[in-house]
Amino acid sequence: MKVESRDALAAEGLTVELIRQLGTVPGLTVLAPMSTLAAGGSQDGALQMGANAILDCRLEGTKLQASLSRVEGDRLLSVGRFDNVIQPAVEALKQFVAAKTGARMGRGNVARAALDLATYQLYLAGRAWFHRWSPDNLVQAQGCFEEVLARNSGFAPAWAGLADIQVLRAYWHAAVPRPVLEQGLVYAQRAADLDPGCGDSYCSLAAVTAALGRDWEKAEMLFRLAIESNHSNALA
């Protein structure tokens, strides 16, 4: 999968979010963000990474256009095209890909709080900064997620994003990690309470459980919940 846009940060954030969303579809294996971003064109992605389907996306302002192709030998055969506004498009595109690839959608997904377009773009920027792991970039990501939650406090993925940041800060950058992990636990629990289907929250809960309580069995159970929710969750 590849997303193109004049705004490189938005394209990177949307790539990460689409991989996260598509990873929740049973039967689909989605390549990790950095692998996808490193691929050249669609043909390169298919040849280099052994993909059997390619999703090409184009983000223009608030519009998301996508084309899905199957790999047949050395050719790409078009399966279908998609066009919608960004946030509703992400969920709808997941449904589109599942239908076109014959994958079955899971049941019982919790409907997430809807964001206006400007706020959703902030969330995507936060995801992009987070995946550019460094102390300064984690600060940028945290600022984006906090602004999202200031606008809509019920958006669980942003709480999970804050939890992930605290976990990485504690492991890599904090002189005194315990209070950082304790704050991450608050964020992760908030995400899980808002949306039990948010696998990212279970991943952070697992990391915090392992680091704070040395409860390896519970940590493993939480990591497995994260993978069950999204089998393409690379952190889990």
Side-chain angles (χ1 to χ4, degrees):
M1 187 192 73
K2 195 164 183 68
V3 178
E4 294 182 351
S5 174
R6 296 174 186 174
D7 184 340
L9 189 66
E12 187 174 335
L14 186 57
T15 299
V16 172
E17 179 66 3
L18 283 171
I19 288 174
R20 190 175 71 83
Q21 290 280 352
L22 290 170
T24 66
V25 179
L28 288 183
T29 298
V30 189
L31 295 173
M34 291 304 105
S35 298
T36 301
L37 293 169
S42 297
Q43 199 74 20
D44 290 337
L47 293 174
Q48 292 173 18
M49 292 177 272
N52 55 22
I54 298 290
L55 182 64
D56 279 314
C57 301
R58 177 73 190 173
L59 181 61
E60 290 285 356
T62 62
K63 292 287 187 180
L64 174 62
Q65 297 176 321
S67 62
L68 182 66
S69 303
R70 284 189 180 278
V71 178
E72 296 286 348
D74 59 354
R75 297 183 301 158
L76 294 178
L77 302 180
S78 177
V79 174
R81 294 185 176 275
F82 180 88
D83 191 347
N84 207 330
V85 179
I86 297 176
Q87 189 188 1
V90 171
E91 178 64 29
L93 184 55
K94 179 171 71 172
Q95 302 278 350
F96 168 81
V97 172
K100 293 294 184 181
T101 58
R104 291 180 177 272
M105 292 294 295
R107 296 181 178 180
N109 290 334
V110 175
R112 292 198 173 103
L115 301 180
D116 62 81
L117 286 171
T119 305
Y120 191 63
Q121 287 171 311
L122 260 177
Y123 168 71
L124 294 180
R127 279 292 166 200
W129 284 118
F130 176 79
H131 279 275
R132 298 176 179 184
W133 291 354
S134 76
D136 290 342
N137 290 342
L138 290 180
V139 171
Q140 293 277 7
Q142 181 168 338
C144 291
F145 292 143
E146 287 176 344
E147 179 63 24
V148 168
L149 293 170
R151 300 180 182 196
N152 189 325
S153 62
F155 193 63
W159 287 107
L162 287 178
D164 290 339
I165 289 168
Q166 300 309 307
V167 170
L168 291 187
R169 285 185 59 220
Y171 274 97
W172 293 347
H173 312 303
V176 183
R178 187 173 188 86
V180 178
L181 287 169
E182 289 173 345
Q183 185 61 63
L185 177 61
V186 172
Y187 292 147
Q189 192 60 61
R190 176 67 171 155
D193 290 343
L194 285 169
D195 181 357
C198 184
D200 291 344
S201 66
Y202 294 115
C203 184
S204 294
L205 282 172
V208 172
T209 297
L212 285 178
R214 302 294 193 270
D215 189 339
W216 311 119
E217 290 186 3
K218 183 177 180 181
E220 180 179 353
M221 179 270 290
L222 289 165
F223 277 128
R224 290 187 182 279
L225 281 176
I227 294 170
E228 182 179 330
S229 174
N230 184 342
H231 55 274
S232 295
N233 189 325
L235 285 176

